[in-house]
Amino acid sequence: MTEVSSLTGRLLVAAPALTDPNFDRAVVLLLDHDEEGSLGVILNRPTPVGVGDILASWAGLTGEPDVVFQGGPVSLDSALGVAVIPGDEGPLGWRRVHGAIGLVDLETPPELLGSALGSLRIFAGYAGWGPGQLEGELNEGAWYVVESEPGDVSSPCPERLWRAVLRRQRSELAMIATYPDDPSLN
């Protein structure tokens, strides 16, 4: 398998035909992708749970909506912090994933990171694929792979992210943004 790690930092956008309810109209940021598998978080699944309800010390540092997002169907009892930090150097407690996007060590005191954060989202759980599993789904046409932008992590309207990401593509993918929620109603 060649160039497997090249998908790290990119977005997986669910194709309309993807029938798994966990990923219906999902936009997944891939945090890691190599020969051992893939791991990402769903960027457009806000929950009704406030960040302050589970991680009070981080609540003042997250953007709107100030809620926990469901990162995926795996390990819903664990939390991941994804932050955008502008500039070349990130602070202690932050690991660059791609460009300005990185992972926050939520065990780090928030005051060490607070002034450096451009945006922060907290995710419960993650989306994961075993070796070759994601490649199989890509070959089946379940996902579109597109470039991420730092603003995707902190979109103030996550429920519109699927359409927004597709709409900005300079290809036939832009047309898919108009795909109806229920095509049987056409």
Side-chain angles (χ1 to χ4, degrees):
M1 202 179 300
T2 60
E3 297 287 326
V4 186
S5 63
S6 66
L7 296 182
T8 297
R10 298 186 75 191
L11 297 178
L12 298 177
V13 181
L18 183 61
T19 58
D20 183 336
N22 290 307
F23 298 109
D24 181 44
R25 303 256 171 149
V27 177
V28 178
L29 172 66
L30 282 176
L31 301 171
D32 192 23
H33 179 243
D34 59 25
E35 65 279 347
E36 295 178 19
S38 304
L39 179 138
V41 290
I42 302 173
L43 298 176
N44 58 336
R45 294 280 193 275
T47 72
V49 179
V51 172
D53 296 339
I54 60 164
L55 291 169
S57 61
W58 290 97
L61 299 173
T62 57
E64 290 297 322
D66 186 22
V67 297
V68 174
F69 282 66
Q70 184 176 339
V74 182
S75 293
L76 291 172
D77 58 344
S78 66
L80 286 170
V82 178
V84 173
I85 297 189
D88 295 329
E89 295 295 319
L92 183 68
W94 180 80
R95 181 180 62 85
R96 185 177 312 279
V97 171
H98 177 76
I101 301 168
L103 285 168
V104 172
D105 177 356
L106 296 173
E107 298 295 320
T108 303
E111 33 308 330
L112 292 179
L113 289 161
S115 63
L117 293 177
S119 64
L120 171 67
R121 281 270 158 86
I122 305 295
F123 296 90
Y126 62 91
W129 294 264
Q133 185 180 6
L134 178 57
E135 288 75 15
E137 291 181 17
L138 291 171
N139 289 334
E140 293 169 2
W143 299 99
Y144 306 118
V145 180
V146 301
E147 294 298 323
S148 63
E149 294 181 2
D152 296 333
V153 172
S154 59
S155 173
C157 298
E159 67 280 354
R160 296 185 191 146
L161 190 60
W162 185 84
R163 289 187 194 282
V165 168
L166 288 171
R167 194 171 288 122
R168 74 176 184 232
Q169 303 310 307
R170 298 183 184 269
S171 66
E172 64 277 353
L173 287 181
M175 294 285 295
I176 294 170
T178 63
Y179 198 84
D181 292 334
D182 185 353
S184 68
L185 297 177
N186 280 349

